[in-house]
Amino acid sequence: MKNIPFNVSARTARLIGRENVSSAEGALIELVKNSYDADAKNCIVFFDDKYSEIPKILTPAEFKEFIEFLAKEKMPSLDDCFMYKPDSSEHLFDPDIYNQKYDASQRNLIEKNLLEKVSIYIMDDGVGMTEEIIEKSWMTIGTDSKNLDFISSTTGRVKSGAKGIGRFALDRLGEECDLLTKTSESDQTLLWKVSWGDFDKLGATIDGVSARLGISAEKLEKNFQDLTKKNFSLSALKFSTKSGSHIKVTRVRDAWKQRDIQQIYQELESLIPPAEAGDFKVYVYSNRYESDFGEVLPNICDDFDYKISADMDEHGNVDFELIRKELDPLRIGSEILKRKFFSGSRHSFDGLTGAPVLYRKTFYELLPGLSEVDSEAHKIIGAFRFTLYFLKRTTDKKDSEIYLHRSFDSANRKKWLDNNNGIRIFRDNFRVRPYGEIGKAAWDWLGLGRRQAEDPSALRSGRWKVTPNNISGVINISRISNLGLEDKSSREGIQENRAFTLFKLLVAAMVKEFEQDRSGIYKEIYTAHSEKKSAPTDEELSERHEEDAEKLALKIFDDVKKDPKPVVDDSTKLALALLKEKARARETGDRLEDMKKENSLLRVFASSGITIASFTHELDGLNAKLGNRFDQLETIFRSYVDMAQQERKDVQNFKNPYYRIGMLRRDDEKVKNWIKYSLRTIRKDKRKRVTLNVANYLENLRDEWQSTLLDRQIVINVNVASQNLSIRAYEIDLDCIFNNLIINSADAFKRAGFSGNRNIEINAVSRSGKIAFTYTDTGPGLSNDIIEPSDIFKPTFTTKKNNLGEEIGTGLGMWLIEKTVEEYSGSAKLMPNSGFSIILEM
């Protein structure tokens, strides 16, 4: 057999270049990155677009130049479409004459030809290229030169290129390309030319298409000087022409009008993070709009409400720095600072008003439960830095008064946020597009907007979540430390692998750190505001005084009814207002009572759903067995009947019909218990408050769970101090509490690394007029990643993770328990124990 080499169609270059790079902005950014990799100090993007559109006003000299340009390019003369104004010595374009002289198709052709005359220059003062480098690297598709040699020997920069396809971004910009390049050691300038249309020839293969390379008489210095004549601002730059690369793209594919160049300018503003700007400068110039552009300066944010920085090292330690500037220092009174919440150093006066607050957490404390799935997960991501700014766009007077906010310039903030909102990723100082790119699908790549819409809780609730259009963030990663976060071949985004999934979860957890800090502070400030003296206290206004006031108000109301004249007396108005408020209060009270009943029922249904979801595996297994079990049993019986007596004694269990009947009986018992559980949950008498015997209730609970937990080798023990112990409660509320606790224990017993006894013990005693339930299991206890144990009572808090680090638990069980206990004016207290232990007083 002979060896047949692979061949590649020339069309591949088109797929890699024009079709793979999604936009002209992306193509230009790739070429600016190449300048950075070439150790350039300066990169200039110059649009030679003087006649990209028909000029509207021209001086006599400019008019002559424009007419000569049209003649040179063999385009229709437009001299009679201009009107000369002697008083101002100007030629003014008259669109009416233009529209009359040329029909729509002719106008389209003229304007298309003008746009095609635009040229784009990308010039740098980097190290340049030799003939050998052009042939072996520049001309090699997918070269690994930057993968092998990814740190510059001259400046120590980490090269941003790695795929070896960046030069094909030129195809996205235009049909023709000329490249002048020179190294500092060479006396000669090289010219590389390519026509991308050659790659479209029918049947052409990649080895049949060539670029042209040779020595050029044109020097870099002369090339740069020619451009300075077109835009004088270039002459003021400290731009070396001893070495570097000058690219000229002609027959461009896009319409480069003023707004398009402005878009490029804004894109490049966010190309380099502010902290890294300094040794690499980027300039954008236009021949037509000389004064509108110049050096690209990064947008630095200094008027923010919150700034949070998070540095994760290679060991998974995350160092946080919080800077809070939202509060007005002059309005933070001593009554606020004396509250227990503000007693620690983290919430001191200095920390609330701009002094950095430092603390550390681990990767696994930010994603609790992940260490039990994968204790090496932090290594997949690697070290990186995240900086987040939060800015309110507006605030109303009422909120400012309640939350003690400082004043700010709303117009400036809106303008800054409109151009800079979103969280952007930078790899080795260059943006990884399209993350955080305004107007693109990946702008909110963390899904913060969806998360906020699902729970739009107010700031005072303590569960507030930020909207993505109020934040601006920068994430710095590197080719060296973040090997798992690889670019896609198109350079548009990061490969969707496990490392990127964990990375997104971690960044979202860092955002949550800010949210919890801010909402915690303002929940406390709101509580303090609500507690301010605004009405007589109970000591100052007794129940008798309230009754007297209501009687007096009723008497005044009766008088008004007898003589219905317009009310003008203040005392009469106050009396009527009191009666209205009393009526509203009674109506509100009735409504709240109905809502409490609804919430109680909803909690039970939620708990029921959690129970069923937690035992889905068992239910699936039972469902699979129910289909053809009797057919199988019939087959086994027939086979068993045909056996000899001695053969039946030695038959294996799976061929023994009586053994199989026992298995079916156990399965039927499970189905029976699940049906009984479902019906018992919604039974009407369980939704009535009655006096329950605690011993009877707990024993029934144990018996109902027994068959379900048998396969999991879990034993429930119940111990009640007195058989006469009783509690007045809704039975469904007790179900909500204990079903969720049992589910959590069952899940904890399955955690990796646990191999002890699986026992649950529920004790009940009378204590100070209440019933104290002590629930204990012998499992592994709370995850070691949980810093504050009380966090388990927060809604949606869960440590149940899959191997990707994604949450698979609902995070509602313990929250439902706490809310149910609170309905009985009780408390839930976690106890230190080798397993899990909690005391519920009701």
Side-chain angles (χ1 to χ4, degrees):
M1 295 178 71
K2 61 181 180 179
N3 294 325
I4 304 174
F6 282 98
N7 205 347
V8 180
S9 166
R11 186 170 164 271
T12 304
R14 177 57 41 87
L15 296 173
I16 294 173
R18 195 194 311 171
E19 297 180 16
N20 202 28
V21 180
S22 64
S23 66
E25 294 97 325
L28 275 171
I29 286 172
E30 285 301 311
L31 295 168
V32 172
K33 286 181 180 180
N34 281 349
S35 295
Y36 179 84
D37 291 348
D39 286 335
K41 292 182 179 180
N42 301 281
C43 177
I44 299 170
V45 178
F46 181 83
F47 292 88
D48 190 0
D49 57 348
K50 190 169 185 176
Y51 301 124
S52 59
E53 298 176 278
I54 300 173
K56 301 298 183 285
I57 303 174
L58 293 171
T59 65
E62 290 171 341
F63 179 73
K64 180 184 177 185
E65 183 183 345
F66 179 57
I67 299 303
E68 290 175 350
F69 167 80
L70 293 175
K72 180 183 176 183
E73 298 297 334
K74 298 179 180 180
M75 295 175 63
S77 176
L78 302 176
D79 55 345
D80 51 358
C81 296
F82 284 82
M83 301 297 293
Y84 179 67
K85 297 292 183 181
D87 54 338
S88 60
S89 298
E90 291 176 334
H91 292 265
L92 304 181
F93 176 69
D94 191 327
D96 292 332
I97 297 175
Y98 176 66
N99 292 335
Q100 289 173 9
K101 186 172 182 180
Y102 302 99
D103 61 27
S105 61
Q106 290 173 320
R107 293 196 301 270
N108 287 336
L109 183 60
I110 291 170
E111 289 159 21
K112 180 177 180 290
N113 287 336
L114 285 173
L115 284 171
E116 287 182 348
K117 306 309 175 188
V118 174
S119 299
I120 304 173
Y121 293 81
I122 304 99
M123 304 182 294
D124 67 56
D125 55 1
V127 294
M129 290 186 286
T130 63
E131 189 171 344
E132 181 183 10
I133 290 174
I134 292 175
E135 290 182 7
K136 292 185 177 179
S137 296
W138 182 259
M139 290 291 292
T140 301
I141 299 173
T143 177
D144 58 0
S145 61
K146 290 185 183 179
N147 255 333
L148 301 174
D149 183 21
F150 56 84
I151 297 180
S152 165
S153 59
T154 306
T155 62
R157 291 176 183 171
V158 178
K159 297 177 182 178
S160 61
K163 302 298 181 184
I165 60 174
R167 80 277 285 126
F168 285 97
L170 291 166
D171 181 23
R172 176 63 186 80
L173 293 176
E175 187 70 22
E176 307 282 345
C177 175
D178 291 0
L179 165 67
L180 286 172
T181 185
K182 176 184 175 299
T183 64
S184 57
E185 292 82 12
S186 174
D187 295 328
Q188 296 177 325
T189 303
L190 297 175
L191 173 63
W192 178 84
K193 291 175 68 72
V194 67
S195 176
W196 298 108
D198 293 345
F199 290 87
D200 288 333
K201 292 177 182 177
L202 190 64
T205 56
I206 199 73
D207 59 349
V209 180
S210 302
R212 293 168 293 286
L213 175 65
I215 297 172
S216 173
E218 180 136 14
K219 304 299 181 184
L220 295 183
E221 183 178 8
K222 174 69 166 51
N223 190 58
F224 180 68
Q225 286 175 350
D226 288 344
L227 288 184
T228 61
K229 295 173 184 176
K230 296 182 178 183
N231 190 311
F232 186 72
S233 300
L234 287 168
S235 60
L237 301 182
K238 294 181 180 178
F239 189 79
S240 172
T241 54
K242 292 180 180 178
S243 63
S245 297
H246 295 189
I247 295 172
K248 179 183 179 182
V249 179
T250 53
R251 295 176 63 191
V252 296
R253 305 189 192 281
D254 296 87
W256 291 102
K257 298 184 179 181
Q258 186 179 18
R259 65 177 180 272
D260 304 301
I261 301 173
Q262 183 65 43
Q263 177 67 29
I264 284 290
Y265 188 82
Q266 290 176 352
E267 287 284 336
L268 291 170
E269 278 182 332
S270 60
L271 181 63
I272 308 170
E276 306 300 334
D279 66 340
F280 180 63
K281 295 182 178 180
V282 180
Y283 302 86
V284 174
Y285 290 104
S286 163
N287 192 5
R288 182 178 179 83
Y289 308 101
E290 289 189 29
S291 60
D292 289 359
F293 306 102
E295 183 178 355
V296 178
L297 297 173
N299 284 318
I300 298 173
C301 179
D302 51 12
D303 177 30
F304 55 85
D305 290 323
Y306 253 84
K307 178 183 176 182
I308 180 169
S309 301
D311 280 290
M312 188 172 94
D313 63 22
E314 65 273 18
H315 305 296
N317 298 311
V318 183
D319 290 310
F320 286 95
E321 179 186 79
L322 272 171
I323 298 178
R324 312 179 183 109
K325 294 171 63 176
E326 191 170 11
L327 290 168
D328 186 344
L330 300 177
R331 299 172 61 193
I332 303 175
S334 58
E335 72 279 2
I336 290 287
L337 297 174
K338 286 179 181 177
R339 297 179 71 87
K340 184 178 178 182
F341 181 87
F342 297 103
S343 59
S345 58
R346 185 165 170 175
H347 296 109
S348 66
F349 177 81
D350 290 341
L352 292 172
T353 56
V357 176
L358 309 176
Y359 65 98
R360 171 178 281 194
K361 284 190 174 183
T362 68
F363 175 86
Y364 302 99
E365 288 169 346
L366 291 169
L367 298 174
L370 182 59
S371 62
E372 294 162 10
V373 179
D374 183 359
S375 61
E376 301 288 309
H378 66 281
K379 295 180 180 178
I380 300 172
I381 297 175
F384 70 96
R385 178 178 175 81
F386 175 39
T387 303
L388 180 73
Y389 295 92
F390 167 75
L391 298 82
K392 293 189 303 298
R393 289 174 179 262
T394 59
T395 187
D396 59 39
K397 187 175 180 181
K398 184 178 178 182
D399 278 353
S400 181
E401 286 297 323
I402 294 173
Y403 296 118
L404 314 179
H405 290 158
R406 66 180 175 89
S407 59
F408 58 87
D409 189 329
S410 178
N412 281 343
R413 282 197 176 187
K414 283 182 180 178
K415 183 178 179 181
W416 191 89
L417 278 169
D418 285 344
N419 293 324
N420 296 278
N421 61 62
I423 296 176
R424 297 164 179 170
I425 302 175
F426 293 81
R427 187 192 302 278
D428 298 314
N429 305 336
F430 276 90
R431 260 188 72 186
V432 180
R433 304 174 73 240
Y435 306 110
E437 195 165 321
I438 298 171
K440 300 294 177 68
W443 167 66
D444 183 22
W445 56 282
L446 291 174
L448 300 179
R450 182 187 68 251
R451 193 189 56 154
Q452 193 273 340
E454 290 171 353
D455 182 13
S457 300
L459 187 56
R460 63 178 179 269
S461 69
R463 301 196 311 275
W464 170 84
K465 293 177 176 61
V466 71
T467 53
N469 63 344
N470 279 99
I471 57 175
S472 179
V474 171
I475 300 174
N476 290 296
I477 62 176
S478 173
R479 289 178 60 191
I480 297 174
S481 56
N482 307 106
L483 299 178
L485 304 177
E486 295 185 55
D487 285 342
K488 293 179 181 177
S489 60
S490 64
R491 306 299 298 275
E492 295 278 321
I494 295 172
Q495 293 180 25
E496 298 283 344
N497 52 22
R498 181 169 181 247
F500 190 56
T501 300
L502 286 171
F503 179 68
K504 289 193 291 185
L505 291 170
L506 179 59
V507 175
M510 291 171 172
V511 174
K512 191 175 181 181
E513 283 289 303
F514 148 67
E515 292 171 335
Q516 290 178 337
D517 184 88
R518 183 172 186 260
S519 56
I521 289 172
Y522 288 111
K523 179 183 179 182
E524 191 68 21
I525 289 176
Y526 182 84
T527 302
H529 173 81
S530 302
E531 291 173 358
K532 281 185 178 179
K533 182 177 178 181
S534 58
T537 62
D538 290 340
E539 292 78 13
E540 294 169 331
L541 184 62
S542 67
E543 188 175 336
R544 180 184 165 189
H545 290 146
E546 290 185 46
E547 291 174 0
D548 290 344
E550 188 168 4
K551 286 177 182 177
L552 181 58
L554 286 169
K555 184 177 182 303
I556 292 172
F557 181 54
D558 287 338
D559 292 340
V560 171
K561 285 196 294 184
K562 291 174 184 176
D563 186 13
K565 294 179 181 178
V567 177
V568 294
D569 180 66
D570 288 345
S571 299
T572 305
K573 289 180 180 178
L574 288 171
L576 296 176
L578 172 65
L579 291 177
K580 284 183 180 179
E581 186 58 36
K582 284 280 185 180
R584 287 194 195 99
R586 281 192 289 270
E587 184 182 347
T588 302
D590 293 341
R591 202 177 299 148
L592 284 173
E593 189 61 33
D594 291 340
M595 288 174 65
K596 284 182 180 179
K597 290 178 181 178
E598 286 179 22
N599 284 337
S600 178
L601 190 58
L602 290 172
R603 284 199 302 269
V604 173
F605 286 140
S607 177
S608 176
I610 292 170
T611 304
I612 293 172
S614 297
F615 289 89
T616 302
H617 180 73
E618 281 85 345
L619 292 175
D620 281 345
L622 290 174
N623 185 47
K625 294 177 182 178
L626 292 176
N628 60 350
R629 57 185 186 156
F630 290 111
D631 294 336
Q632 293 177 355
L633 187 61
E634 182 181 358
T635 301
I636 293 171
F637 256 118
R638 292 182 185 280
S639 175
Y640 189 78
V641 169
D642 293 339
M643 290 181 184
Q645 190 68 27
Q646 185 59 39
E647 191 178 359
R648 290 177 184 174
K649 291 180 181 180
D650 300 327
V651 71
Q652 295 172 296
N653 285 338
F654 73 91
K655 292 183 179 181
N656 187 332
Y658 297 103
Y659 178 81
R660 292 295 290 269
I661 288 172
M663 290 176 61
L664 294 177
R665 183 180 289 113
R666 287 195 294 272
D667 289 343
D668 285 350
E669 189 67 26
K670 288 179 183 179
V671 174
K672 176 183 173 183
N673 283 326
W674 277 112
I675 294 172
K676 189 165 69 173
Y677 169 80
S678 301
L679 295 175
R680 182 176 176 273
T681 300
I682 59 173
R683 216 171 58 217
K684 202 166 186 178
D685 62 334
K686 292 171 69 67
R687 289 178 265 149
K688 295 180 181 178
R689 189 186 288 268
V690 295
T691 300
L692 296 171
N693 182 282
V694 174
N696 290 342
Y697 171 79
L698 291 178
E699 287 168 3
N700 288 336
L701 179 81
R702 176 196 60 199
D703 295 342
E704 287 169 0
W705 274 99
Q706 190 167 0
S707 61
T708 304
L709 299 177
L710 184 65
D711 290 345
R712 298 196 180 195
Q713 300 177 320
I714 299 173
V715 177
I716 299 180
N717 297 309
V718 171
N719 182 24
V720 181
S722 169
Q723 290 296 314
N724 297 323
L725 198 62
S726 63
I727 183 172
R728 184 165 177 76
Y730 296 100
E731 190 174 348
I732 54 175
D733 286 341
L734 295 183
D735 288 348
C736 177
I737 292 170
F738 290 105
N739 286 342
N740 277 297
L741 288 172
I742 291 169
I743 291 166
N744 285 346
S745 294
D747 286 339
F749 290 137
K750 293 193 301 180
R751 285 204 330 236
F754 177 75
S755 59
N757 294 326
R758 301 184 173 194
N759 298 327
I760 295 172
E761 187 168 323
I762 307 174
N763 298 325
V765 298
S766 177
R767 184 183 297 168
S768 303
K770 292 188 175 184
I771 306 295
F773 294 96
T774 303
Y775 179 95
T776 306
D777 70 31
T778 57
L782 296 180
S783 169
N784 294 328
D785 300 333
I786 299 176
I787 302 174
E788 180 53 58
S790 61
D791 284 348
I792 67 172
F793 296 114
K794 293 179 179 178
T796 71
F797 180 91
T798 180
T799 59
K800 297 173 185 175
K801 303 278 196 303
N802 61 18
N803 63 348
L804 292 176
E806 297 168 324
E807 294 179 352
I808 54 176
T810 63
L812 294 176
M814 295 306 297
W815 176 71
L816 288 170
I817 290 169
E818 185 183 48
K819 290 300 174 187
T820 303
V821 172
E822 285 177 358
E823 286 290 319
Y824 291 84
S825 301
S827 62
K829 184 180 180 182
L830 296 171
M831 302 299 291
N833 195 291
S834 56
F836 173 81
S837 182
I838 188 171
I839 295 178
L840 308 167
E841 286 196 355
M842 300 173 61

